[in-house]
Amino acid sequence: MVKSRVYIVASLIAFSFLIVIIRLFYFQIIERDYFLEYIKKQYYTKEKIILPRGTIYDSNNRILGISVPTVDIFVIPKYIKNKERVAKELSTLIKKPYRTILNKLYTKKHYVVLARGLDKSLKERLLTLRKELREWNIGIIESSKRFYPLGSIAGSTIGFVSRTTGKGMEGLELKYDKKLGGGTGNILVMKDATGNPFTIENEENLEKSHDIKLTIDSNIQFIVEDVLKEFVKERRPKEALILVVDPNTGDIVANATYPNYNPNRYYRYKNHKNITFHNAYEPGSLAKPFVLAEAIDEEKISFSKKYYCGEGSITVDGIRIRDHKKFKNLTADEIIIYSSNVGAIEIALKLDPDRFYKRLFSLGFGKSTKTFPGEASGLIRKDKRPVEIAYASIGQNWTATPIQIAMAYSAIANGGYLLKPNFIKQIINKETGDIKKPEKKVVGKVLSDKSVEILQKILKQVVEIGTAKKGRSNYFTIAGKTGTAQKYDPKIKALSDEKFYTWFAGYFPAENPKFTVVIFANEPKRIKKWEFIGGGTVSAPVLKKLVDRIMFYYKSKPDKNGGEYGNKNPSRN
């Protein structure tokens, strides 16, 4: 009997142990993830932090965009003992209104963020304050924020990073978002009301990041921004830009736009466009050199004869198209030098329409260069009617982006090659130190050697004696072309005599090109009532200041005969 009772008790004990083991197996193995998640919900809160991104440098290793360390402050309100004193002390320290902090301390929420993105130098003072107040449920998390040391300089080009997601939203920050890394990371913060500090349990979603060195030279960018600022103040256009590109590599050296913005305070601006890439405009007379190039290749032009230029107008398909001057007879090169609309149209109407449009497309017009996020393509309608050919030859009824213009004129400067524009000089792996340098990308040979040789001579004369002579430098040779396009005015349902796009596109020094430059304005205002608005009167004068300052910065020797720094000989304007 006793033995049977012992067996029964032993069996019950063994069975109890078996139940315990089964339950432990159930909790620790089968339902382990569920209960861990339950515990986390009870004792932890998940908080996002902004992860650091790679640094953006200019071509001289000057920092353009960098992630700086910050701290976020949070509390568990129900465990804050002296809310009034905590609010008062924190208000003084973090420069936030006392009442705002106090209201958050009295909220019924379990977890409240009081401030984000504070300077990391405040961390020690916050820790000291927490210790003095013995308020251990004030928490501090290390985070980061994006900072742009040069402010608005190249702002519309660099772009910005979202304050909430840590990801690139515009410009090069968006274009190279994956390379730069960053974003947000999740941390688990212990909900501890026992007098111990909060602790970070783990981090998630850490992304590898790279540093990027751009082709932008911030010193040239400063010069370009300064010249553009003076131009905008004088002419008060709706939009304006100055773009500088290396015609031999496609590298973008500087890009200043108006409007612009400061990426440190991007949220204060409604417009984040970069008009160099995002907008397309009628190029006006910038198209004429390419008409001549096609005529040369089709052998439809003679440089030994003069062409009748209509004495101010031409009628095509019953439509009268005016010239800006009453030219009578001009040679082929004079048609470009003095920018005769009628002369250009006369040449264009002799061309094969298919080959004419093919030439424009081959130069990169009508297709995005895919250099910048949200880049426009421009628009060319392949309309073969004579009147449409006529308008196309003088840069009307089709549009191009300023970056397309820059690359097309770079092709004239570099011997006829269309290059893909480029912003990247180096991509540096922060972990390994490996450096990747993108190769120059040649889209194709788009201008013949013969046409390039002729155009280079003519475009130099445009600046010396032609429509761009107000941009002539005393020290350096410049080649290029002015452009003016009348804007369509919906109020009068016709082309306006008051609203224009004005352009200059060219390169310098003319004999050994180092830079291509595009200068553009949308609806520049007259300085004097009688003034004629055009590329020659508005955009070209900016050229002289720009070229001399850039070349002096590079300490380049003047390439004009007799040209020396300090020469006071007046320009032949």
CSV table of all heavy atoms in Angstrom, one decimal, residues 275-303:
chain,number,residue,atom,x,y,z
A,275,ILE,N,16.4,75.1,-63.0
A,275,ILE,CA,15.9,75.3,-64.4
A,275,ILE,C,16.9,74.9,-65.4
A,275,ILE,O,16.6,74.7,-66.6
A,275,ILE,CB,15.6,76.8,-64.6
A,275,ILE,CG1,16.8,77.7,-64.4
A,275,ILE,CG2,14.5,77.2,-63.6
A,275,ILE,CD1,16.5,79.2,-64.8
A,276,THR,N,18.2,74.7,-65.1
A,276,THR,CA,19.2,74.2,-66.0
A,276,THR,C,18.8,72.8,-66.6
A,276,THR,O,19.0,72.5,-67.7
A,276,THR,CB,20.6,74.1,-65.3
A,276,THR,OG1,20.9,75.4,-64.9
A,276,THR,CG2,21.6,73.5,-66.3
A,277,PHE,N,18.1,72.0,-65.7
A,277,PHE,CA,17.7,70.7,-66.1
A,277,PHE,C,16.2,70.5,-66.2
A,277,PHE,O,15.7,69.7,-67.0
A,277,PHE,CB,18.3,69.7,-65.1
A,277,PHE,CG,19.7,69.7,-64.9
A,277,PHE,CD1,20.3,70.5,-64.0
A,277,PHE,CD2,20.6,69.0,-65.8
A,277,PHE,CE1,21.7,70.6,-63.8
A,277,PHE,CE2,21.9,69.1,-65.7
A,277,PHE,CZ,22.5,69.9,-64.7
A,278,HIS,N,15.4,71.2,-65.4
A,278,HIS,CA,14.0,70.9,-65.3
A,278,HIS,C,13.2,71.6,-66.3
A,278,HIS,O,12.0,71.2,-66.6
A,278,HIS,CB,13.5,71.3,-63.9
A,278,HIS,CG,14.0,70.4,-62.8
A,278,HIS,ND1,14.1,70.8,-61.5
A,278,HIS,CD2,14.3,69.1,-62.8
A,278,HIS,CE1,14.6,69.7,-60.8
A,278,HIS,NE2,14.7,68.7,-61.6
A,279,ASN,N,13.7,72.7,-66.9
A,279,ASN,CA,12.9,73.5,-67.8
A,279,ASN,C,13.5,73.5,-69.2
A,279,ASN,O,14.7,73.5,-69.4
A,279,ASN,CB,12.7,74.9,-67.3
A,279,ASN,CG,11.9,75.1,-66.1
A,279,ASN,OD1,11.4,74.1,-65.6
A,279,ASN,ND2,11.7,76.3,-65.6
A,280,ALA,N,12.7,73.6,-70.2
A,280,ALA,CA,13.1,73.7,-71.6
A,280,ALA,C,12.5,75.0,-72.2
A,280,ALA,O,11.4,75.3,-71.9
A,280,ALA,CB,12.7,72.5,-72.4
A,281,TYR,N,13.3,75.6,-73.0
A,281,TYR,CA,13.0,76.9,-73.6
A,281,TYR,C,13.3,77.0,-75.1
A,281,TYR,O,14.2,76.2,-75.5
A,281,TYR,CB,13.7,78.1,-72.9
A,281,TYR,CG,13.7,78.0,-71.4
A,281,TYR,CD1,14.7,77.4,-70.7
A,281,TYR,CD2,12.7,78.7,-70.7
A,281,TYR,CE1,14.6,77.3,-69.3
A,281,TYR,CE2,12.6,78.7,-69.3
A,281,TYR,CZ,13.6,78.0,-68.6
A,281,TYR,OH,13.6,78.0,-67.2
A,282,GLU,N,12.7,77.9,-75.8
A,282,GLU,CA,13.0,78.1,-77.2
A,282,GLU,C,14.4,78.7,-77.3
A,282,GLU,O,14.7,79.7,-76.6
A,282,GLU,CB,12.0,79.0,-77.9
A,282,GLU,CG,10.7,78.3,-78.1
A,282,GLU,CD,9.7,79.2,-78.8
A,282,GLU,OE1,9.8,80.4,-78.7
A,282,GLU,OE2,8.8,78.7,-79.5
A,283,PRO,N,15.4,78.1,-78.1
A,283,PRO,CA,16.7,78.6,-78.1
A,283,PRO,C,17.0,79.8,-78.9
A,283,PRO,O,18.1,80.4,-78.9
A,283,PRO,CB,17.5,77.4,-78.6
A,283,PRO,CG,16.5,76.7,-79.5
A,283,PRO,CD,15.2,76.9,-78.8
A,284,GLY,N,16.1,80.2,-79.8
A,284,GLY,CA,16.3,81.3,-80.6
A,284,GLY,C,17.5,81.1,-81.6
A,284,GLY,O,17.7,80.0,-82.1
A,285,SER,N,18.3,82.2,-81.8
A,285,SER,CA,19.3,82.1,-82.8
A,285,SER,C,20.5,81.2,-82.4
A,285,SER,O,21.4,81.0,-83.2
A,285,SER,CB,19.9,83.5,-83.0
A,285,SER,OG,18.9,84.3,-83.6
A,286,LEU,N,20.5,80.6,-81.2
A,286,LEU,CA,21.5,79.6,-80.9
A,286,LEU,C,21.4,78.4,-81.9
A,286,LEU,O,22.4,77.7,-82.0
A,286,LEU,CB,21.3,79.0,-79.5
A,286,LEU,CG,21.5,80.0,-78.3
A,286,LEU,CD1,21.4,79.3,-77.0
A,286,LEU,CD2,22.8,80.8,-78.4
A,287,ALA,N,20.3,78.3,-82.6
A,287,ALA,CA,20.1,77.1,-83.5
A,287,ALA,C,20.9,77.4,-84.8
A,287,ALA,O,21.2,76.5,-85.6
A,287,ALA,CB,18.6,76.9,-83.8
A,288,LYS,N,21.2,78.6,-85.1
A,288,LYS,CA,21.7,79.0,-86.5
A,288,LYS,C,23.0,78.3,-86.8
A,288,LYS,O,23.2,77.9,-88.0
A,288,LYS,CB,21.8,80.5,-86.6
A,288,LYS,CG,20.4,81.2,-86.7
A,288,LYS,CD,20.5,82.7,-86.6
A,288,LYS,CE,19.1,83.3,-86.6
A,288,LYS,NZ,19.1,84.8,-86.4
A,289,PRO,N,24.0,78.2,-85.9
A,289,PRO,CA,25.2,77.6,-86.3
A,289,PRO,C,25.0,76.1,-86.7
A,289,PRO,O,25.8,75.6,-87.6
A,289,PRO,CB,26.1,77.7,-85.0
A,289,PRO,CG,25.6,78.9,-84.3
A,289,PRO,CD,24.1,78.9,-84.6
A,290,PHE,N,24.0,75.5,-86.2
A,290,PHE,CA,23.8,74.1,-86.5
A,290,PHE,C,23.1,73.9,-87.9
A,290,PHE,O,23.3,72.9,-88.6
A,290,PHE,CB,23.0,73.4,-85.4
A,290,PHE,CG,23.7,73.5,-84.0
A,290,PHE,CD1,23.0,74.2,-83.0
A,290,PHE,CD2,24.9,73.0,-83.8
A,290,PHE,CE1,23.6,74.3,-81.8
A,290,PHE,CE2,25.5,73.1,-82.6
A,290,PHE,CZ,24.9,73.8,-81.6
A,291,VAL,N,22.3,75.0,-88.2
A,291,VAL,CA,21.8,75.0,-89.6
A,291,VAL,C,22.9,75.1,-90.6
A,291,VAL,O,23.0,74.4,-91.6
A,291,VAL,CB,20.8,76.2,-89.7
A,291,VAL,CG1,20.4,76.4,-91.2
A,291,VAL,CG2,19.6,76.1,-88.8
A,292,LEU,N,23.9,76.0,-90.3
A,292,LEU,CA,25.0,76.2,-91.2
A,292,LEU,C,25.9,74.9,-91.2
A,292,LEU,O,26.3,74.5,-92.3
A,292,LEU,CB,25.9,77.3,-90.7
A,292,LEU,CG,27.1,77.7,-91.5
A,292,LEU,CD1,26.7,78.1,-93.0
A,292,LEU,CD2,27.9,78.8,-90.9
A,293,ALA,N,26.0,74.2,-90.1
A,293,ALA,CA,26.8,73.0,-90.1
A,293,ALA,C,26.2,71.9,-91.0
A,293,ALA,O,26.9,71.2,-91.8
A,293,ALA,CB,26.9,72.4,-88.7
A,294,GLU,N,24.9,71.8,-91.0
A,294,GLU,CA,24.2,70.9,-91.9
A,294,GLU,C,24.3,71.3,-93.4
A,294,GLU,O,24.5,70.5,-94.3
A,294,GLU,CB,22.7,70.8,-91.5
A,294,GLU,CG,21.9,69.8,-92.4
A,294,GLU,CD,22.5,68.4,-92.3
A,294,GLU,OE1,23.0,68.0,-91.3
A,294,GLU,OE2,22.4,67.7,-93.4
A,295,ALA,N,24.3,72.6,-93.6
A,295,ALA,CA,24.4,73.1,-95.0
A,295,ALA,C,25.8,72.8,-95.5
A,295,ALA,O,26.0,72.5,-96.7
A,295,ALA,CB,24.1,74.6,-95.0
A,296,ILE,N,26.8,72.9,-94.7
A,296,ILE,CA,28.2,72.6,-95.1
A,296,ILE,C,28.3,71.1,-95.4
A,296,ILE,O,28.9,70.8,-96.5
A,296,ILE,CB,29.2,73.0,-93.9
A,296,ILE,CG1,29.2,74.5,-93.7
A,296,ILE,CG2,30.6,72.4,-94.2
A,296,ILE,CD1,29.9,74.9,-92.4
A,297,ASP,N,27.7,70.3,-94.6
A,297,ASP,CA,27.8,68.8,-94.9
A,297,ASP,C,27.0,68.4,-96.1
A,297,ASP,O,27.4,67.4,-96.8
A,297,ASP,CB,27.4,68.0,-93.7
A,297,ASP,CG,28.4,68.1,-92.5
A,297,ASP,OD1,29.5,68.6,-92.8
A,297,ASP,OD2,28.1,67.8,-91.4
A,298,GLU,N,25.9,69.1,-96.4
A,298,GLU,CA,25.1,68.8,-97.5
A,298,GLU,C,25.6,69.5,-98.8
A,298,GLU,O,25.1,69.3,-99.9
A,298,GLU,CB,23.6,69.2,-97.3
A,298,GLU,CG,22.9,68.3,-96.3
A,298,GLU,CD,21.4,68.6,-96.3
A,298,GLU,OE1,20.9,69.0,-97.3
A,298,GLU,OE2,20.8,68.4,-95.2
A,299,GLU,N,26.7,70.3,-98.6
A,299,GLU,CA,27.2,71.1,-99.7
A,299,GLU,C,26.2,72.0,-100.3
A,299,GLU,O,26.1,72.1,-101.5
A,299,GLU,CB,27.9,70.2,-100.7
A,299,GLU,CG,29.1,69.4,-100.1
A,299,GLU,CD,29.8,68.6,-101.2
A,299,GLU,OE1,29.2,68.4,-102.2
A,299,GLU,OE2,30.9,68.1,-100.9
A,300,LYS,N,25.4,72.7,-99.5
A,300,LYS,CA,24.3,73.5,-99.9
A,300,LYS,C,24.6,75.0,-99.6
A,300,LYS,O,23.8,75.9,-99.7
A,300,LYS,CB,23.0,73.2,-99.2
A,300,LYS,CG,22.5,71.8,-99.5
A,300,LYS,CD,21.9,71.6,-100.9
A,300,LYS,CE,21.4,70.2,-101.1
A,300,LYS,NZ,20.2,69.9,-100.3
A,301,ILE,N,25.9,75.3,-99.3
A,301,ILE,CA,26.3,76.7,-99.0
A,301,ILE,C,27.6,77.0,-99.7
A,301,ILE,O,28.4,76.2,-99.9
A,301,ILE,CB,26.4,76.8,-97.4
A,301,ILE,CG1,26.4,78.3,-97.0
A,301,ILE,CG2,27.6,76.1,-96.9
A,301,ILE,CD1,25.1,79.0,-97.1
A,302,SER,N,27.7,78.3,-100.0
A,302,SER,CA,28.9,78.8,-100.6
A,302,SER,C,29.4,80.0,-99.8
A,302,SER,O,28.6,80.9,-99.4
A,302,SER,CB,28.7,79.2,-102.1
A,302,SER,OG,29.9,79.9,-102.5
A,303,PHE,N,30.7,80.0,-99.4
A,303,PHE,CA,31.2,81.1,-98.6
A,303,PHE,C,31.9,82.2,-99.5
A,303,PHE,O,32.4,83.2,-99.0
A,303,PHE,CB,32.3,80.6,-97.6
A,303,PHE,CG,31.6,79.8,-96.5
A,303,PHE,CD1,31.5,78.4,-96.6
A,303,PHE,CD2,31.2,80.4,-95.4
A,303,PHE,CE1,30.9,77.7,-95.6
A,303,PHE,CE2,30.6,79.7,-94.4
A,303,PHE,CZ,30.4,78.3,-94.5
